[in-house]
Amino acid sequence: MGVSHISNRSGQRSRGWSRRGILAALGAVPAAALAGCSSSADASAASDGKDAAATARAATTKKATITVTPAPGTGKAGFTSPVEVTVADGTLTSVTVAGNDGSTLSGSFNEARTKWTSARNPYSGTKYTVTAKAEGAAEASVTTFTTRSPGATFVGYFTPEAGATSGVGMPVSINFTHAVADRAAVQKAITVTAEPAVEVVGHWFSDTRLDFRPETYWAPGTKITLSLRMKDVEGADGVYGIQHKDVTFHIGREQISTVDLSAKTMTVKRNGETVAGYPVTGGGSGHTTWSGIMVISERFEQTRMESSTVGLGDEYDIPDVPHAQRLTTSGTFVHGNYWASTAVFGQQNTSHGSIGLHDTKGAGDSSVAGYKFYESSMLGDVVIVKNSGERTVDPANGLNGWNLSWADWKAGSAV
């Protein structure tokens, strides 16, 4: 009986507890289950949204990277290639390249504006500052590099001198200090222009000499500009030009003098009109005067003339030849002569190849032919010699390229 009673009470208590537990379970489990499902879904959605936003922000704020060639900080950069600026993850908005010599390098962008290339190479021996801005960068990129200096260099010495006024026959003649192997490269770096405009062409007489002239004599009053752009032009292997300059010359009046050594006379024409005539003496037998068109290239009120300097031994040595004007490199002059008899002029050809006019010792007598002709002349004036019994002067012997036809002159151009 006792056992049965206890078992029954125990069973009642067990059933009563189960109802409360079930009710509690029915009230809590679904709520917990619903709460658990809702929290997981919301967190996942929020996480996906945050990741997408972060990715978008990262894509829009990725830093643009600018690269400069030559590399920043280079101390001995090359100068035979253009400067390049590129950008990754952005577009270039502006690029400036400035040298410490005051020069700047212009350039152009590619279509996508991700690359800029200078229009020409940087100069040697120059420090450059490169300032580049990109749309995706917060600040401009500022870098520097320095180009190396060339090991060997050359220059061109030019005639006439800057600012000079010359006669209508004066070519622009350039003599280089080093033999030029790449004639085309050097000639392209040199231009000669005229006002009023006329075609001007270069002609190479040798690997160290380049002359420029028009087809016919310059017009009186012409302004001539020589532009040298030879800096860093490689004229020979490892040998670079260093000149970058413009010089101007002017042409004065036209004076053309014709020497007829058969008649032994000189006729001087100024702007087409005869202004003077002089009796002369030319080269005698064995020393005939060159014929052809010659240009006055040097002038001396007095100068020493020695036969040994022109390969004639000790035939003469005159320390004070008056009013001497050079016509050829080899030693032909038109000059005053005080040592010959006045009867020689206009009657005999007795010189060693030059053209002589009567003059006086000391070069101070304004009444004589030598003085008058000298005073009326200038560098670049034309002197034409005919009937001398000698062949035409070599066009390279002095400034005498006018003895070449225009076709032959142009054939000597490298461009």
Side-chain angles (χ1 to χ4, degrees), residues 247-278:
V247 293
T248 58
F249 327 108
H250 293 84
I251 300 299
R253 79 291 178 276
E254 177 191 75
Q255 180 166 296
I256 299 174
S257 303
T258 301
V259 177
D260 183 343
L261 289 181
S262 175
K264 303 168 190 66
T265 59
M266 171 191 282
T267 302
V268 181
K269 288 190 174 183
R270 179 79 60 83
N271 297 324
E273 304 242 347
T274 300
V275 294
Y278 305 110

Side-chain angles (χ1 to χ4, degrees), residues 247-380:
V247 293
T248 58
F249 327 108
H250 293 84
I251 300 299
R253 79 291 178 276
E254 177 191 75
Q255 180 166 296
I256 299 174
S257 303
T258 301
V259 177
D260 183 343
L261 289 181
S262 175
K264 303 168 190 66
T265 59
M266 171 191 282
T267 302
V268 181
K269 288 190 174 183
R270 179 79 60 83
N271 297 324
E273 304 242 347
T274 300
V275 294
Y278 305 110
V280 300
T281 181
S285 177
H287 304 292
T288 47
T289 305
W290 296 114
S291 65
I293 304 168
M294 289 173 256
V295 172
I296 296 174
S297 58
E298 284 186 293
R299 304 178 74 235
F300 306 96
E301 187 173 343
Q302 291 188 94
T303 190
R304 182 178 184 178
M305 290 189 178
E306 276 187 277
S307 54
S308 62
T309 63
V310 291
L312 295 177
D314 58 358
E315 291 194 30
Y316 61 85
D317 183 357
I318 306 169
D320 56 355
V321 176
H323 302 124
Q325 303 186 87
R326 182 183 290 277
L327 299 179
T328 69
T329 306
S330 63
T332 307
F333 282 79
V334 53
H335 61 75
N337 181 327
Y338 65 79
W339 53 92
S341 167
T342 56
V344 167
F345 303 100
Q347 300 299 318
Q348 302 175 52
N349 289 323
T350 61
S351 80
H352 287 83
S354 290
I355 300 158
L357 298 92
H358 176 55
D359 212 324
T360 56
K361 188 178 178 67
D365 186 349
S366 63
S367 68
V368 294
Y371 182 102
K372 290 178 180 179
F373 181 65
Y374 182 85
E375 289 299 312
S376 73
S377 301
M378 66 170 57
L379 293 174

